[in-house]
Amino acid sequence: MDTIIAADTKWQLIAEKALNGGPLTLEEGLEVLDADNDEVLLIMNAAFKVRKHFYGKKVKLNMIINAKSGLCPEDCGYCSQSIVSTAPVNKYTLLDKETLLAGAREALARKAGTYCIVASGKGPTDKELNQVVDAVREIRETMPLKICACLGILKEDQAERLAEAGVHRYNHNLNTSKANYPSITTTHTYDQRVATVEKVKSHGMSPCSGVIIGMGETHQEIVEMAFALRELDADSIPINFLNAIPGTPLEHAGRTPSMKALKVLALFRFICPSKEIRVAGGREVNLRTLQPLSLYAANSLFVGDYLTTAGQEVSADHQIIEDLGFEIELNAL
């Protein structure tokens, strides 16, 4: 009993430190990831204290549309759409305006507050940007949705045009640590990703940037990723867990154990306490039956399918939220 009390006190002190704005040390971050699984519920309770302070029991829902699939010159080892992937995925150019508008209507039907327009490729062409801008303007005029765009590396004028069209948020994930980056991707750099997020911020769009857990990174690198996103001041932090797709260079990577995934979510909540922490791609195959517990640290999730992998039924996510006694935050950025 004394051991349990001591452990609970330790995690509650971590929570208090986060609430008071004090950044965790590297050693404290490693303690979270290295903790015995017997302490996971205590860690999640401490993370919930922080999450509840900033977000109460509300859950933000997001929906992705794969606006352009495959046809990508990048060599990202985790991605089924990359040039080095042999995975059998649909390949098509940017969807037309009516299809993008139909996706927005579907997002509303799923009770998603944010509609994410995602396109493969290193960055958008001017023609592609024109198509996105045209669709965004009409969505903004006709639907109560927040819009997030994820189109790759942006030029200065492209960022300006997206902001003027009404894009609320731009996603560009760091994905992994700076040290691990060359082993995952060689066709662009970690610094280019950071520069794009900074460019987005400079044009008034809300920065969204996250990670993919399970790509050979160490525990220290996971903590460093959280510190990097804190320094970058990302408003929204999607935490993806690798869903190893056959035909990709990382196809043989093992899944992240469910208990470790929960500790990762708690870690990001402690280090980035006031930010939207989104449990994202791969949650179904990594967290499995422990998915509901993730919302004690995270306050946001995707509903429906991802880019080339299937999510679970939207009704199942709605049921999780209801069973937890939480509520969907409609029209939430």
Side-chain angles (χ1 to χ4, degrees):
M1 182 62 72
D2 288 345
T3 301
I4 294 174
I5 293 172
D8 188 39
T9 300
K10 176 173 68 175
W11 302 123
Q12 290 299 322
L13 288 173
I14 292 284
E16 288 296 331
K17 186 174 185 179
L19 286 170
N20 291 328
L24 270 64
T25 64
L26 173 63
E27 291 71 26
E28 288 169 329
L30 288 172
E31 281 186 27
V32 176
L33 297 180
D34 293 335
D36 192 281
N37 285 344
D38 289 349
E39 296 184 32
V40 164
L41 288 181
L42 300 176
I43 293 170
M44 297 308 291
N45 181 46
F48 181 61
K49 183 175 184 178
V50 182
R51 180 245 203 266
K52 189 176 181 182
H53 175 83
F54 290 103
Y55 295 100
K57 293 185 175 181
K58 293 183 177 180
V59 181
K60 301 172 188 281
L61 300 184
N62 309 259
M63 192 196 93
I64 290 176
I65 186 167
N66 191 2
K68 176 187 173 186
S69 183
L71 309 174
C72 184
E74 303 291 279
D75 67 353
C76 306
Y78 52 84
C79 184
S80 59
Q81 301 183 79
S82 79
I83 195 169
V84 295
S85 168
T86 60
V89 300
N90 292 329
K91 296 181 180 181
Y92 50 82
T93 56
L94 194 73
L95 298 174
D96 61 31
K97 178 181 174 180
E98 288 308 313
T99 306
L100 293 177
L101 292 174
R105 290 189 288 271
E106 178 60 28
L108 284 175
R110 296 179 184 184
K111 300 183 180 180
T114 302
Y115 178 48
C116 307
I117 300 172
V118 184
S120 62
K122 189 163 191 172
T125 65
D126 289 339
K127 180 182 177 181
E128 289 169 342
L129 197 80
N130 289 340
Q131 288 177 250
V132 172
V133 163
D134 192 26
V136 166
R137 285 185 174 140
E138 184 156 342
I139 294 168
R140 287 296 310 272
E141 291 172 0
T142 59
M143 300 180 217
L145 274 174
K146 306 296 185 183
I147 302 171
C148 178
C150 178
L151 311 174
I153 295 171
L154 293 178
K155 300 173 185 175
E156 204 72 49
D157 65 307
Q158 292 176 326
E160 183 177 2
R161 289 193 62 205
L162 288 171
E164 288 177 350
V167 171
H168 298 85
R169 173 171 285 170
Y170 195 86
N171 167 262
H172 202 57
N173 292 332
L174 297 186
N175 287 327
T176 193
S177 70
K178 187 168 185 176
N180 195 41
Y181 211 84
S183 69
I184 302 302
T185 306
T186 66
T187 47
H188 62 269
T189 67
Y190 178 93
D191 289 339
Q192 282 179 294
R193 286 193 169 259
V194 171
T196 292
V197 178
E198 293 290 4
K199 193 173 296 177
V200 165
K201 290 162 60 177
S202 72
H203 287 279
M205 288 182 283
S206 172
C208 173
S209 188
V211 299
I212 305 172
I213 302 298
M215 300 197 296
E217 71 284 341
T218 65
H219 279 190
Q220 179 166 326
E221 285 174 322
I222 294 175
V223 179
E224 289 169 353
M225 289 182 230
F227 285 150
L229 289 166
R230 179 185 173 103
E231 183 176 349
L232 200 54
D233 200 25
D235 291 331
S236 178
I237 302 174
I239 310 297
N240 300 277
F241 298 97
L242 182 68
N243 184 353
I245 299 172
T248 62
L250 291 176
E251 65 179 337
H252 298 300
R255 60 177 287 275
T256 298
S258 303
M259 299 291 263
K260 177 179 177 179
L262 291 174
K263 287 184 276 190
V264 168
L265 290 166
L267 172 77
F268 277 80
R269 174 57 68 204
F270 293 140
I271 292 178
C272 304
S274 66
K275 303 302 186 179
E276 175 186 342
I277 304 296
R278 186 184 317 143
V279 55
R283 65 178 166 95
E284 297 86 353
V285 297
N286 289 275
L287 283 158
R288 299 198 292 210
T289 59
L290 298 188
Q291 286 185 74
L293 288 176
S294 69
L295 289 176
Y296 284 94
N299 65 297
S300 177
L301 50 79
F302 284 112
V303 285
D305 295 340
Y306 300 95
L307 294 176
T308 64
T309 57
Q312 64 187 19
E313 289 293 326
V314 176
S315 59
D317 288 325
H318 289 175
Q319 191 66 62
I320 285 173
I321 293 166
E322 180 182 333
D323 290 347
L324 288 169
F326 291 5
E327 63 177 302
I328 296 170
E329 184 176 356
L330 299 175
N331 304 323
L333 180 57

